[in-house]
Amino acid sequence: AMRAHKGWEAQWVSPEPRPAYDAIIIGGGGHGLGAAYYLAKEHGITNVAVLEKGWLGGGNTGRNTTIIRSNYLYDESMDIYEHSLKLWENLSQDLNYNVMYSPRGVMMLSHGIHDQQVFKRHIHANRLYGIDNEWLSPEQAKDFCPPLDISASARFPINGAALQRRGGTARHDAVAWGYARAASDRGVHIIQNCEVTGIRRGPDGAVTGVDTNRGFIGAKKIGVSASGHNSVIMAMAGVRVPLHSVPLQALVSEPLKPIFPCVVMSNTVHAYISQSDKGELVIGAGTDQYNSYSQTGGLQIITHTLDAICELFPIFRRVKMMRQWGGITDNTPDRSAIQGVTPVPNLFVNCGWGTGGFKATPGSANLFAHLIAKGEPHRLAAGLTLDRFRTGRLIDEAAAAAVAH
Ligand code: FAD
Ligand code: PYC
């Protein structure tokens, strides 16, 4: 039947690289492709290439569980995640590409007094900032998500939940493809199978281009946005970044009829779950506990997660799992991203999104484009500096990261 599908137009052109560009972005995930799109659309900079060592979205963009929310604690985080959430709301129209953003609600379960205090602190901070977030009783949580077990005899009984109704999910591949097509339509070069192996600098220290498996490509400016490999690439320019790369795993079940209407996360028992439009339960774990570049991960991590899912939703105990995978996440000590200038002139970095950067994709890409175009951060990303690890002005979002690290 696929033979009938001949003659489909390519969604983006795959040109030979030019000898040089005004800007090169390293990494063809949602963040890199999106930044190229906004460089072209909002800053009129179209002599741009996105270099991707594999295929578009083959990194964490295509490996994540697609949870979108903006319920973080600190102003610096709320600024960028809420900017992102607002862009999600109109992204399909903006790209003319259905990214299937579904604001079905993200509910974070509280299993004790400490969870409750932390969530209420988040709820108050969010509401003061104009971001929706509300506290639910266990009964209200069950109304919102009927498969949830709220009985007092559960191993980790639930004493409430925080709900962000505007949170939800989106189709991850479509985000990469939509940005790629829209950027390509505006003249950006999308170059796959092009691995950056070195960053060259001139006598003044500023970047001059990159070495790749397809030869040297010149660049006036370089934006690094390569998630799990950000520290490897920054080292090519002689810059140490405070990141450690660890696998994060997810898995999907056999397809079921629609049964799970929202997204549920529980940091305390290390699991999060939603249902895809194909019917698969999409389930994610905490991070593996060791640094690694293997996109697989340890078996004990996901069996622990499935234990947790079965405790929270006994109805799923006999469901079969179909596929498992991992992605390499780049994590900072304070669990907040770094987006900013670097000690190397004209080298900009977008890193440290770790286990939580899918939701940030449109906002981060939009503000990264501003940074590359203007040479200085947008006000909404001004706190995400590399320098904060020297000054100590950290943005501790370990609780809001909501994934066990
Ligand atoms: P990527 O999509 O990884 O893109 C970076 C690209 O750089 C890759 O395609 C890679 O091949 C390329 N690259 C690397 N080295 C080179 C090189 N030398 N030369 C050229 N290209 C190179 N976030 C959420 O908000 N919600 C979630 O529910 C969520 N769940 C997750 C579940 C899992 C299992 C994982 C792994 C992550 C999850 N995340 C989640 C995190 C999220 O996926 C990432 O933060 C986000 O997708 C990063 O996007 P990106 O565009 O920066 O990176
Ligand atoms: O950041 O919301 C998140 C998330 C959910 C699963 C993995 N990360």
Side-chain angles (χ1 to χ4, degrees):
M2 287 306 281
R3 267 178 297 149
H5 293 185
K6 275 187 206 152
W8 283 359
E9 244 177 70
Q11 299 206 43
W12 53 84
V13 291
S14 296
E16 281 304 306
R18 290 191 189 121
Y21 293 90
D22 289 338
I24 279 180
I25 292 173
I26 304 175
H31 287 236
L33 293 163
Y37 167 67
Y38 293 116
L39 269 177
K41 181 187 173 209
E42 296 190 356
H43 304 280
I45 302 174
T46 57
N47 184 21
V48 173
V50 178
L51 307 185
E52 165 54 50
K53 75 173 175 185
W55 67 97
L56 298 191
N60 291 347
T61 297
R63 292 168 183 271
N64 73 88
T65 49
T66 82
I67 297 173
I68 296 172
R69 56 192 175 86
S70 63
N71 54 356
Y72 283 68
L73 183 59
Y74 290 100
D75 295 3
E76 292 88 342
S77 320
M78 287 189 276
D79 276 342
I80 193 159
Y81 287 114
E82 182 61 17
H83 179 55
S84 201
L85 192 52
K86 293 210 170 89
L87 290 172
W88 277 114
E89 286 166 351
N90 196 41
L91 194 59
S92 294
Q93 286 78 5
D94 185 25
L95 300 178
N96 187 26
Y97 205 108
N98 189 359
V99 301
M100 296 166 73
Y101 169 57
S102 163
R104 60 185 66 180
V106 174
M107 189 163 78
M108 301 172 90
L109 301 178
S110 163
H111 298 270
I113 188 64
H114 296 297
D115 281 351
Q116 183 169 341
Q117 286 167 349
V118 169
F119 285 146
K120 288 201 169 171
R121 189 175 173 214
H122 281 74
I123 289 170
H124 295 315
N126 291 161
R127 293 173 74 141
L128 283 170
Y129 220 66
I131 294 175
D132 73 304
N133 198 353
E134 63 197 87
W135 178 255
L136 301 185
S137 67
E139 293 72 26
Q140 288 169 319
K142 183 152 179 81
D143 276 351
F144 196 69
C145 184
L148 181 63
D149 179 11
I150 58 164
S151 61
S153 59
R155 189 181 297 179
F156 302 102
I158 287 152
N159 65 347
L163 172 63
Q164 186 175 31
R165 291 183 192 270
R166 288 161 62 238
T169 56
R171 172 78 200 275
H172 43 14
D173 304 305
V175 175
W177 300 335
Y179 273 127
R181 187 180 72 175
S184 174
D185 284 350
R186 288 172 186 267
V188 168
H189 280 188
I190 312 279
I191 304 174
Q192 300 179 79
N193 300 313
C194 183
E195 178 168 3
V196 172
T197 53
I199 294 181
R200 287 204 211 167
R201 302 167 61 180
D204 59 352
V207 298
T208 55
V210 293
D211 291 309
T212 78
N213 58 343
R214 296 171 68 167
F216 174 76
I217 309 176
K220 292 185 187 143
K221 295 180 177 182
I222 297 176
V224 179
S225 194
S227 71
H229 286 76
N230 275 319
S231 55
V232 175
I233 291 173
M234 292 303 287
M236 295 175 190
V239 181
R240 280 189 75 203
V241 277
L243 296 173
H244 69 279
S245 290
V246 284
L248 181 67
Q249 299 184 63
L251 59 170
V252 289
S253 73
E254 60 189 334
L256 307 177
K257 288 191 175 166
I259 180 145
F260 205 83
C262 57
V263 180
V264 172
M265 305 185 67
S266 168
N267 195 20
T268 299
V269 300
H270 305 164
Y272 35 96
I273 176 168
S274 64
Q275 188 172 20
S276 76
D277 291 351
K278 278 190 284 183
E280 299 164 351
L281 297 175
V282 180
I283 295 170
T287 59
D288 281 46
Q289 297 304 306
Y290 53 89
N291 293 347
S292 165
Y293 292 104
S294 135
Q295 294 184 122
T296 52
L299 181 63
Q300 82 283 9
I301 302 285
I302 47 171
T303 53
H304 172 73
T305 289
L306 290 175
D307 287 346
I309 292 291
C310 292
E311 290 293 336
L312 296 171
F313 309 101
I315 189 177
F316 295 144
R317 281 193 178 149
R318 296 176 64 190
V319 173
K320 296 186 181 66
M321 294 299 127
M322 276 205 320
R323 292 193 307 280
Q324 167 277 350
W325 63 90
I328 306 305
T329 60
D330 55 332
N331 300 275
T332 60
D334 64 359
R335 305 297 182 235
S336 291
I338 302 167
Q339 189 183 93
V341 298
T342 71
V344 175
N346 295 332
L347 179 70
F348 305 96
V349 71
N350 176 52
C351 69
W353 291 102
T355 62
F358 178 71
K359 67 179 83 64
T361 304
S364 159
N366 184 256
L367 301 176
F368 195 41
H370 176 104
L371 173 70
I372 295 169
K374 310 276 184 210
E376 55 185 44
H378 188 282
R379 135 188 102 72
L380 294 176
L384 304 180
T385 60
L386 178 57
D387 204 39
R388 73 179 186 272
F389 297 96
R390 191 180 56 78
T391 63
R393 285 185 63 86
L394 301 183
I395 310 163
D396 182 355
E397 291 289 6
V403 171
H405 283 78

